[in-house]
Amino acid sequence: MFQYDFMQNAFLASTFIALTTGIVGVFVTARGMSFLAHTLSEIGFAGAALAVFVGIRPLDGMLVTTISSAVAVGKLSVKASRREASISAVSSLFTGLGILFLALSAKSSSYATTILFGSIIGISRADVWQLVGLAAVVLVTMAWAYRSLAFDSFDPVGAQAQGVRRNLIGIYFLLILAVSVSIGAQIVGSLLVFILLTLPPAVAKYLGHTLPQMLAISVATALIGVWAGLLLGYYTNWPVTFFIAAIECVFYFAALQVRRRQG
Amino acid sequence: MTPLITVSHMSFGFRDRKLYSDMSFALARGSMTSLIGANGVGKTTLIRLLMGQLTPTAGTITRAADLSLGYVPQFRNIDPEYPLTIRQFVQLNQLKHRVPWHTRAEKAAVDQVIAQCDLSERQNLRLGAASGGEKQKAYLAQALLTQPNFLILDEATASLDVNTKTELMSLVRRLNRELGLTVLFVTHDLELAREFTSQYLLLTATGHELAPTQTMDLAKMPRELTPVAEVH
């Protein structure tokens, strides 16, 4: 299996995707931003479609649209009373835009499928290096901001009382979330990237009681999901995204059972 | 000894409403003071002024050079699913270093505040599964981690039953005595104020008064402050 370049690329890419989404996801869940991650992935879909239309790489298109809209979308979702309606409006608009750009670019529907549901054969070695670079930026800056981000995510009231610069942390987090959504979508597709950003961290939340434990469980759950998904996809020819989604769901419901037993 | 914080001829108001005019009082080092007053009279605003988050429109607030502040806020949203342990929650307030891992000295500092707040036995309990009293102790321990000499407790006992209130306040009094901590305790509970603090700062719509709690006349207090109105 590993004699094929595309499988090497897929494994390399998905390893870094799982590392990034597994770690970022723990903070997404703590900050109650799962819904926002989903919206960003739809914005990313529109960006990828736009990229196809203007002739640049889909990942670049996704990065441009998600990063440029992350802060605005984050602000829309601050007021709980308006959050659902605002986010639904933005989601539908961008999904519509994505469909429009794909139609205008006159590409075959398989291209849309690739963007929406992911593909393992479309990733070149150059894509992998770009992805590794982006993941490194996210992970290194997170290591630097870790303590403030953890305080703000797990105890916003306490962080405010201690004078943590919450606005700055909030904006920084939206930006790295945008990057994580964009790189995550390269394997599982923009429609399902939020699986990797929400289910492994949910498993971690049920099973881990310290932040290092949660990060380790989340990354492990994401890694097992993508690696097993790639293997099963390779041998069955079924879509990798299906296997990843199914595996993560099994982990999630198993963890939920464990938590219920614990009371 | 100079007071830890001195408010002198201070006035403050928002655009539509004047809250205080010509307010003067001082909090001595090691004192334990209740801040009492009806809802909306400006207790939280006064705290924000003392913390330096707001600036007086007239007059001054003088803080001792060595003043370091610990603030325990009133509302926190810790749901039953909250994953972190009490120890991990307390540790969140260690922001001095930029590295993700904690140094040995930092761990020792966490051990110390956890012991001071009687949480050693319960430190590995998930905060979401902790009782109301344990949660308040964890909030207190987190604020103490930066070794403040001035502690503001914003209605820390409001949601607790009578026994737990007494236990928490006994702990605060012990910290006040052992560490020389200056305490400002915001409360509606006059019985608790009388039992655990030596003086009270009463805010009313027309002015303020700083007096020893021994002289507190319950009959003269605003009606909503009498303990009878408290729902346990």
Side-chain angles (χ1 to χ4, degrees):
Chain A
M1 175 176 71
F2 286 109
Q3 71 266 36
Y4 297 113
D5 278 351
F6 77 91
M7 282 309 283
Q8 291 175 10
N9 292 342
F11 263 94
L12 260 175
S14 51
T15 300
F16 279 89
I17 287 169
L19 256 177
T20 312
T21 54
I23 290 173
V24 173
V26 167
F27 296 95
V28 169
T29 309
R31 299 171 82 88
M33 283 186 166
S34 305
F35 212 47
L36 184 74
H38 190 49
T39 307
L40 276 176
S41 64
E42 275 153 348
I43 292 174
F45 164 63
L50 176 65
V52 172
F53 176 54
V54 298
I56 58 171
R57 289 197 300 184
L59 176 56
D60 295 337
M62 286 188 97
L63 284 169
V64 169
T65 48
T66 52
I67 288 175
S68 60
S69 60
V71 176
V73 177
K75 271 194 182 155
L76 268 183
S77 63
V78 169
K79 269 212 165 156
S81 53
R82 287 191 213 140
R83 183 165 17 196
E84 289 186 18
S86 300
I87 288 194
S88 301
V90 173
S91 291
S92 17
L93 174 67
F94 277 89
T95 309
L97 279 173
I99 294 166
L100 173 70
F101 292 135
L102 279 178
L104 290 177
S105 62
K107 291 274 178 182
S108 67
S109 61
S110 72
Y111 220 97
T113 318
T114 301
I115 295 172
L116 278 170
F117 304 117
S119 158
I120 54 163
I121 48 173
I123 296 184
S124 69
R125 192 49 67 97
D127 291 338
V128 172
W129 292 130
Q130 184 185 10
L131 203 144
V132 170
L134 288 165
V137 169
V138 170
L139 296 176
V140 169
T141 57
M142 274 185 95
W144 190 74
Y146 177 81
R147 293 193 184 193
S148 305
L149 181 62
F151 201 176
D152 188 43
S153 305
F154 285 89
D155 182 21
V157 176
Q160 169 115 29
Q162 296 298 329
V164 171
R165 294 165 78 181
R166 299 195 55 221
N167 273 342
L168 219 58
I169 292 284
I171 291 170
Y172 160 73
F173 187 72
L174 286 167
L175 294 178
I176 57 167
L177 178 59
V179 175
S180 309
V181 164
S182 301
I183 60 177
Q186 303 310 304
I187 285 279
V188 289
S190 57
L191 204 60
L192 289 172
V193 62
F194 91 118
I195 288 177
L196 288 179
L197 280 164
T198 54
L199 292 186
V203 172
K205 184 177 170 178
Y206 290 139
L207 303 183
H209 297 326
T210 70
L211 202 41
Q213 277 175 7
M214 288 173 71
L215 293 170
I217 293 170
S218 180
V219 168
T221 311
L223 274 176
I224 294 170
V226 293
W227 285 343
L230 283 172
L231 279 176
L232 292 168
Y234 178 80
Y235 287 113
T236 60
N237 249 341
W238 285 12
V240 169
T241 307
F242 158 72
F243 287 115
I244 296 175
I247 293 164
E248 297 302 347
C249 282
V250 168
F251 275 127
Y252 173 75
F253 287 109
L256 197 61
Q257 283 307 315
V258 173
R259 167 51 65 85
R260 283 200 182 133
R261 287 218 184 123
Q262 287 172 346
Chain B
M1 199 160 43
T2 53
L4 194 65
I5 195 158
T6 309
V7 173
S8 173
H9 304 290
M10 179 180 78
S11 298
F12 185 81
F14 295 106
R15 216 171 286 166
D16 52 340
R17 200 160 68 96
K18 193 157 191 157
L19 277 175
Y20 335 107
S21 60
D22 203 30
M23 177 186 272
S24 296
F25 66 89
L27 298 180
R29 285 172 191 271
S31 62
M32 206 157 156
T33 313
S34 297
L35 174 59
I36 53 186
N39 283 331
V41 81
K43 298 190 295 292
T44 303
T45 306
L46 180 60
I47 287 172
R48 292 184 64 194
L49 282 157
L50 294 177
M51 289 173 72
Q53 291 178 352
L54 294 170
T55 316
T57 42
T60 54
I61 298 175
T62 312
R63 297 172 186 83
D66 65 335
L67 184 139
S68 70
L69 199 133
Y71 173 57
V72 183
Q74 185 178 0
F75 298 110
R76 260 189 171 100
N77 197 9
I78 301 292
D79 64 67
E81 300 261 281
Y82 188 82
L84 297 186
T85 59
I86 288 177
R87 184 185 175 87
Q88 284 271 308
F89 176 84
V90 171
Q91 204 172 30
L92 289 173
N93 192 17
Q94 277 177 331
L95 297 169
K96 220 165 147 192
H97 298 294
R98 276 280 167 203
V99 289
W101 54 89
H102 291 265
T103 63
R104 200 173 291 175
E106 285 180 316
K107 286 177 188 161
V110 175
D111 287 337
Q112 196 187 349
V113 290
I114 281 187
Q116 278 169 347
C117 293
D118 304 332
L119 284 168
S120 299
E121 305 280 307
R122 306 290 276 168
Q123 59 176 312
N124 294 320
L125 176 72
R126 215 165 41 77
L127 187 64
S131 69
E134 287 163 343
K135 283 192 180 116
Q136 283 298 338
K137 284 183 192 172
Y139 305 156
L140 179 63
Q142 192 196 65
L144 291 175
L145 199 51
T146 55
Q147 296 186 307
N149 56 10
F150 183 32
L151 184 69
I152 300 179
L153 296 164
D154 200 349
E155 309 222 16
T157 56
S159 56
L160 304 178
D161 62 56
V162 180
N163 290 339
T164 319
K165 271 181 196 185
T166 310
E167 191 192 331
L168 184 73
M169 287 312 291
S170 304
L171 167 64
V172 173
R173 184 163 61 188
R174 200 182 74 215
L175 293 169
N176 161 262
R177 287 177 182 163
E178 286 176 5
L179 308 175
L181 206 60
T182 308
V183 178
L184 184 62
F185 170 55
V186 185
T187 186
H188 279 102
D189 191 327
L190 299 180
E191 288 294 350
L192 217 54
R194 270 215 300 210
E195 191 177 344
F196 287 98
T197 61
S198 53
Q199 57 181 0
Y200 68 94
L201 177 63
L202 170 70
L203 296 187
T204 62
T206 50
H208 69 284
E209 178 189 21
L210 181 67
T213 40
Q214 288 159 338
T215 65
M216 188 190 280
D217 184 354
L218 291 186
K220 281 188 185 166
M221 290 287 162
R223 246 192 78 204
E224 67 166 283
L225 294 181
T226 54
V228 186
E230 287 272 310
V231 181
H232 294 306

